[in-house]
Amino acid sequence: MPPLRNTGADRNAEQPEYAGDYRLQACLGAGGMGVVHLAASASGLRLAVKVVHARYAEDPEFRARFRQEVAAARRVSGAFTAPVVDADPDAVRPWMATLYVPGPTLADQVKRNGPLAPAELRRLTAGLAEALRDIHRAGVVHRDLKPSNVLLTDTGPKVIDFGISRPVDSDLHTETGKLIGSPPFMAPEQFQRPREVGPAADVFALGAVLVHAATGHGPFDSDSPYIVAYQVVHDEPDLSGVPAELAPLVARCLAKEPGERPTPAQIMSALLPPSYAAEAFIPAQRRRPALPYGEERAHGEPGPAPAWDADTPVRATAPAPPRRGPRLGRVRLRPRLTLAVAATLALTGAGLYAAMSPPAGGGSERAARPDEVATAFTGWHTTLQMHGPTAAPACTHGGGALYCAARGIGLARLDPVTGKVAWSRTGPVEAESPVAPFLLADGLVGAAAPADPLRAHAAADGAPGWTAGPAKPPERYVPAGSAVVLTDGRGGVRAVGSRDGKELWRHGLAGFEVPRPGPYDAPSGLLAVSETSADGTHTRVAEIHPRTGEQAWQRNMPGDLDPLGRTGDGALLLASRYQDSLFDRLIVLDPGSGSVRELPLPHRIDVRGVAVRGAVVHILGADGHLTAFDTAAPKGRVLWELETGAGNVSTPVTGPGDRLYFSVQDGRLLAVDTVRGALIGQTRPRLLNGRLEYAPLVPSPVVAGDRVFGTAPDGSVFAVDARDPASW
């Protein structure tokens, strides 16, 4: 990219020649955060390219905000927005290219031609409700819907500028005490409870936008943003001038309480067309080249670019997540918990270790498992903890039952069909992160809170069985077939039998001072262990037989490595840590031949967890960035990347039908199609009293046949149908 020329914020300043490979042809306008240019792709497609102001390019917080804008824009369907064509949020000057959408903004239209006629207003209402429905289905909250962010086109209104939009769970920009948004179009909760802003805030903004379109002014008007904020929170809206047939619906949109506002789908239902004028917004009618809003232009030619000024927001933003392809914005990484800590906790189902699955079969056919649940299923929701501070329960499935631990509940058995609690046993209430139970032999279930000894319970009724301990210092345990391996973090290693809890062996491992247990591989019956040198220059890796502690093999390898598990062909997969939890390479080791392949990752990833299916590794970053990486290719190959926009996530798990699932801190469960790399469903947030507090670890969901079981920070466990994620 050639050197950038000029400075300032006006429309003639900051005129780079290129953004990526796109030559910038003309300035369409400038906003507070960037300049929008007209450009063309290699095929001649007309683009609007937003280039960030130079003064913001060095601000890490703004880069994070811009990356979030790109991620949100990619997620939303392009039917109601300007689809993203390309972007690079990590360039010297971050930029994003979207399809150029000719047409004035609603703000310009009302300013030049006055309020809309009732028929036009009805079409606008239906179109914006449809757009919000699509945006919310993608898991995005726009948070800044206003007249200048609505483009009026011959196919209906399009919503643009996702600069401060976010997924429901994101906490970006809510911790600084700053108000983010445009006060006349902000919902009361955006002033009072910014962490709780959800889709209903966009519905409130829709109501304010409709008042502006109908009257030329908003429902709350003042020259002072502080007075406007007071009016939004306390006063009734001014609906004078709004057509009588729409006023009741607009008033419902402007309700003070989010729960009293209609959903976009309910708005659309209320607008069932009583006249031909409204039918223009039905999708089937959009195929006609009608030109609403009085715009005229030559056939086949895009209209002239509207006038822009410094207060007009950039008009390039929107959706359509990519199906495949490695050209996506690179992920900016942030420090977090080191893998050494996360790895030891991964054994409980909430940490880093890979969720290993067999290669996906063809189509949806698969062999039934003995513990697979019935297919007829409508879902359920059960609260395990009712009082006190909560944390998401951690669960496992087996033997036709679901077993969970929660704060204050050491172990509970739930019916996977109904969610009914069959029995429960009390546990410590001070534990921040419950530890997932696991199945033992002879109808036993193992459970242990952090720093507590491992205890076995009868699966049928929860009766106490054997106890492995107590031990000092507290031990961490790894279920490994017919044995459980326990380590104390100071070099002590032992194993007990899963049937009776009797000690099988207790001794050190040759070549190791403080071995770190890794994942257990059931097909080979081996448990991986590792230890990294103090200077981080090399790692000793081995696999042991859990019942004897004997080493099957051992190797000293360069780098700071973490075993992730075995691939479908039996190779051991390791991750190379650049620093802290940042991965830069994957290592494929064949234990039989000793051959090693190093596979560079497309960028350094702040890894939260991985799921391995066959030769494909699905790497989930702490910022929700998901990468599918094929380790079978000689140098590795990125299959796809997906910006899920989720923050503070669990380790992902794979399931039947080429699906991948993971949980989010706010209690949402997300489903991803691993063939297309597309988000295909998510549940609603489940928070305690609407509050989102930081969770040190987010438990992974549990997949059992055609059901997925998730947990939430309100202390609940819920089940959904894995066959239809779009209905969640």
Side-chain angles (χ1 to χ4, degrees), residues 356-357 359 521 565-573 588-589 612-617 631:
M356 307 298 292
S357 301
D521 178 58
R566 293 205 180 202
T567 61
D569 59 2
L572 181 65
L573 184 68
V588 181
L589 168 64
V612 182
R613 170 173 268 159
V616 178
V617 183
T631 63

Side-chain angles (χ1 to χ4, degrees), residues 398-709:
L402 188 68
Y403 300 94
C404 301
R407 184 175 289 175
I409 296 177
L411 183 63
R413 173 171 173 156
L414 282 69
D415 184 336
V417 177
T418 65
K420 182 179 179 180
V421 177
W423 53 259
S424 66
R425 299 292 175 264
T426 59
V429 297
E430 68 277 2
E432 289 187 355
S433 300
V435 178
F438 61 92
L439 297 181
L440 297 166
D442 294 339
L444 295 175
V445 181
D452 273 11
L454 173 64
R455 304 178 189 276
H457 296 263
D461 57 9
W466 53 261
T467 299
K472 295 182 179 180
E475 294 176 307
R476 299 184 178 95
Y477 57 88
V478 185
S482 61
V484 181
V485 176
L486 301 97
T487 61
D488 61 11
R490 298 185 181 181
V493 186
R494 66 186 182 118
V496 299
S498 60
R499 294 178 182 273
D500 52 17
K502 292 184 179 179
E503 189 167 281
L504 300 174
W505 54 269
R506 181 194 295 262
H507 57 70
L509 302 180
F512 291 86
E513 293 184 5
V514 184
R516 185 173 61 232
Y520 171 70
D521 178 58
S524 67
L526 298 176
L527 174 71
V529 294
S530 63
E531 183 177 15
T532 302
S533 62
D535 58 6
T537 59
H538 64 275
T539 301
R540 188 174 299 275
V541 183
E543 285 187 312
I544 66 172
H545 297 278
R547 289 196 64 85
T548 64
E550 295 179 357
Q551 296 187 29
W553 58 268
Q554 183 184 122
R555 181 159 183 162
N556 198 23
M557 305 179 68
D560 186 352
L561 308 179
D562 276 303
L564 301 179
R566 293 205 180 202
T567 61
D569 59 2
L572 181 65
L573 184 68
L574 303 103
S576 174
R577 188 191 295 110
Y578 173 74
Q579 64 181 29
D580 295 329
S581 58
L582 305 185
F583 287 176
D584 61 356
R585 292 172 297 148
L586 294 178
I587 310 296
V588 181
L589 168 64
D590 184 340
S593 66
S595 65
V596 176
R597 289 189 297 127
E598 293 192 7
L599 310 177
L601 293 173
H603 45 76
R604 294 166 185 162
I605 303 177
D606 184 3
V607 175
R608 179 54 53 92
V610 300
V612 182
R613 170 173 268 159
V616 178
V617 183
H618 301 92
I619 308 171
L620 183 60
D623 58 357
H625 187 87
L626 183 61
T627 304
F629 192 82
D630 183 9
T631 63
K635 296 184 179 180
R637 180 169 63 102
V638 174
L639 299 178
W640 48 261
E641 293 185 77
L642 174 65
E643 292 280 5
T644 69
N648 198 13
V649 295
S650 74
T651 293
V653 296
T654 56
D658 297 316
R659 303 284 171 82
L660 178 141
Y661 308 94
F662 64 92
S663 297
V664 188
Q665 176 188 1
D666 64 0
R668 283 184 299 144
L669 170 67
L670 275 65
V672 174
D673 184 325
T674 57
V675 174
R676 298 185 293 117
L679 185 67
I680 55 176
Q682 63 180 307
T683 62
R684 64 175 177 82
R686 289 180 167 89
L687 299 172
L688 178 65
N689 299 324
R691 296 179 180 178
L692 180 61
E693 298 179 356
Y694 178 77
L697 289 173
V698 179
S700 295
V702 176
V703 182
D706 292 327
R707 302 179 194 180
V708 185
F709 305 96

Side-chain angles (χ1 to χ4, degrees), residues 51-380:
V51 181
V52 170
H53 287 316
R55 63 182 181 275
Y56 293 116
E58 300 303 320
D59 183 349
E61 182 178 355
F62 178 81
R63 280 187 177 267
R65 173 174 166 178
F66 186 75
R67 184 175 297 105
Q68 182 169 279
E69 175 180 357
V70 173
R74 289 188 189 277
R75 293 174 67 177
V76 186
S77 168
F80 307 102
T81 55
V84 173
V85 175
D86 201 356
D88 189 355
D90 292 314
V92 176
R93 289 273 297 281
W95 58 270
M96 175 172 62
T98 68
L99 189 66
Y100 173 72
V101 180
T105 67
L106 176 60
D108 289 336
Q109 178 70 14
V110 173
K111 183 178 181 180
R112 292 200 301 261
N113 303 315
L116 302 186
E120 294 174 331
L121 184 65
R122 192 178 187 88
R123 291 198 300 270
L124 177 69
T125 305
L128 289 180
E130 200 169 12
L132 288 182
R133 181 199 62 182
D134 223 40
I135 291 169
H136 295 164
R137 279 179 175 176
V140 173
V141 180
H142 191 283
R143 296 205 303 166
D144 197 24
L145 183 66
K146 57 186 178 182
S148 57
N149 284 343
V150 176
L151 285 177
L152 304 179
T153 76
D154 58 359
T155 58
K158 292 188 182 292
V159 176
I160 62 171
D161 201 342
F162 288 76
I164 65 171
S165 62
R166 60 169 176 81
V168 176
D169 72 300
S170 173
D171 56 4
L172 188 63
H173 307 306
T174 62
E175 299 178 351
T176 62
K178 300 177 181 178
L179 289 178
I180 303 296
S182 304
F185 303 95
M186 291 170 63
E189 60 266 27
Q190 289 181 271
F191 296 103
Q192 298 173 304
R193 307 179 299 276
R195 286 181 178 271
E196 301 174 30
V197 173
D202 287 345
V203 174
F204 187 96
L206 170 60
V209 167
L210 295 176
V211 175
H212 178 89
T215 66
H217 59 78
F220 308 99
D221 260 356
S222 173
D223 293 334
S224 168
Y226 302 102
I227 294 178
V228 169
Y230 180 88
Q231 293 173 337
V232 167
V233 174
H234 299 286
D235 294 350
E236 292 302 314
D238 178 8
L239 301 184
S240 57
V242 177
E245 64 271 20
L246 284 179
L249 181 60
V250 172
R252 290 176 57 202
C253 292
L254 293 171
K256 302 299 184 187
E257 292 299 324
E260 297 177 3
R261 299 169 202 153
T263 65
Q266 291 171 336
I267 296 173
M268 294 167 62
S269 298
L271 288 171
L272 291 177
S275 66
Y276 178 79
E279 292 178 2
F281 273 86
I282 299 176
Q285 298 293 329
R286 287 183 179 175
R287 297 171 185 168
R288 297 185 178 184
L291 297 178
Y293 309 111
E295 292 298 303
E296 297 181 1
R297 52 192 173 94
H299 178 68
E301 291 294 325
W308 289 77
D309 55 45
D311 295 327
T312 303
V314 293
R315 55 189 304 163
T317 28
R323 294 171 65 92
R324 283 182 182 270
R327 183 164 185 168
L328 294 173
R330 293 180 295 279
V331 178
R332 180 170 291 272
L333 307 167
R334 61 180 185 273
R336 67 167 187 88
L337 183 70
T338 62
L339 282 188
V341 176
T344 59
L345 295 172
L347 308 171
T348 70
L352 171 74
Y353 286 155
M356 307 298 292
S357 301
S364 60
E365 297 180 2
R366 53 187 170 81
R369 297 192 299 272
D371 64 344
E372 188 156 333
V373 294
T375 56
F377 185 61
T378 57
W380 50 259

